[in-house]
Amino acid sequence: IAGITQAPTSQILAAGRRMTLRCTQDMRHNAMYWYRQDLGLGLRLIHYSNTAGTTGKGEVPDGYSVSRANTDDFPLTLASAVPSQTSVYFCASSDGEGEAEAFFGQGTRLTVV
Amino acid sequence: GQSLEQPSEVTAVEGAIVQINCTYQTSGFYGLSWYQQHDGGAPTFLSYNALDGLEETGRFSSFLSRSDSYGYLLLQELQMKDSASYFCAVLNDYKLSFGAGTTVTVRA
């Protein structure tokens, strides 16, 4: 089934450790996004990519980095995790510039202790 | 930057009509989308308005007024399965940014 796959589904991580959340899509979508969701704050954009080879900062980029080496993969890296990065992380993709319909993965629940 | 305002909670009975308003401030506005999320699962796309007016998709309709920076999602003939969180989102400068969400609770 076509869609977006995120891994891991959940993770408990010690503070200070490095962690990469994986996101792969098989819809050949140009645009990809990473969001974090915290209670009462909705979905906040961390980083995005409009096409392979380009990335941009969203609302809350600090402490996170991304890369877009190819169309399908958009990993999110926490270089040195802190407890405030405890959240549910969603990866999404859309067909291209100006395309409003985004498809979301099932999320990664990350707890930093 | 951008900001989106929507009510945090709405409660209604089965069969009722609910309107969720969304006001936004942003630059480079392309359009307003609505998403539904059940129990913290993956958000799913409901509708998109790029032009002023009403878009109808079954029991759900969405409206946009670009001059007022305002839109709404109308849920008609509410069903228990409509209990969920609903997010408005603006597409601007090729980025999709979301509001904090409205939790809709449907009571029997």
Side-chain angles (χ1 to χ4, degrees):
Chain A
I1 297 176
I4 294 186
T5 303
Q6 290 185 236
T9 302
S10 65
Q11 181 76 42
I12 299 173
L13 186 68
R17 297 296 298 269
R18 179 185 180 90
M19 174 77 189
T20 295
L21 307 186
R22 299 185 299 279
C23 176
T24 300
Q25 54 104 357
D26 61 3
M27 296 174 282
R28 308 300 296 170
H29 284 170
N30 284 318
M32 296 188 76
Y33 309 87
W34 273 106
Y35 296 89
R36 60 176 289 173
Q37 185 172 32
D38 304 290
L39 192 63
L41 295 177
L43 292 151
R44 292 184 291 169
L45 183 63
I46 304 171
H47 285 286
Y48 67 96
S49 169
N50 286 330
T51 190
T54 68
T55 62
K57 293 181 179 180
E59 306 166 58
V60 288
D62 294 343
Y64 305 95
S65 63
V66 292
S67 61
R68 189 87 184 276
N70 57 60
T71 297
D72 298 342
D73 301 300
F74 191 43
L76 176 74
T77 297
L78 290 67
S80 179
V82 295
S84 62
Q85 292 178 310
T86 293
S87 188
V88 179
Y89 292 85
F90 285 100
C91 180
S93 72
S94 67
D95 202 17
E97 293 182 357
E99 178 56 54
E101 182 175 2
F103 296 81
F104 282 79
Q106 290 303 311
T108 294
R109 184 173 298 275
L110 181 66
T111 303
V112 182
V113 297
Chain B
Q2 61 277 323
S3 68
L4 298 96
E5 297 288 333
Q6 55 181 125
S8 58
E9 296 180 39
V10 173
T11 300
V13 297
E14 276 187 295
I17 299 174
V18 160
Q19 179 172 316
I20 303 171
N21 298 320
C22 175
T23 57
Y24 59 87
Q25 286 185 305
T26 186
S27 59
F29 177 81
Y30 287 93
L32 187 71
S33 301
W34 290 91
Y35 285 77
Q36 180 189 60
Q37 185 184 37
H38 280 105
D39 298 325
T44 56
F45 173 82
L46 290 176
S47 67
Y48 174 63
N49 294 68
L51 303 175
D52 287 358
L54 190 69
E55 295 279 345
E56 298 180 72
T57 308
R59 295 185 296 112
F60 294 177
S61 303
S62 58
F63 172 84
L64 175 66
S65 169
R66 296 175 70 105
S67 60
D68 295 322
S69 298
Y70 163 78
Y72 66 73
L73 179 69
L74 193 69
L75 315 179
Q76 301 180 78
E77 300 172 22
L78 274 179
Q79 301 176 9
M80 297 299 287
K81 67 179 181 180
D82 298 329
S83 291
S85 293
Y86 293 83
F87 297 88
C88 58
V90 293
L91 183 65
N92 65 318
D93 296 331
Y94 310 119
K95 294 182 294 184
L96 196 57
S97 300
F98 286 78
T102 299
T103 300
V104 173
T105 302
V106 182
R107 296 184 288 110

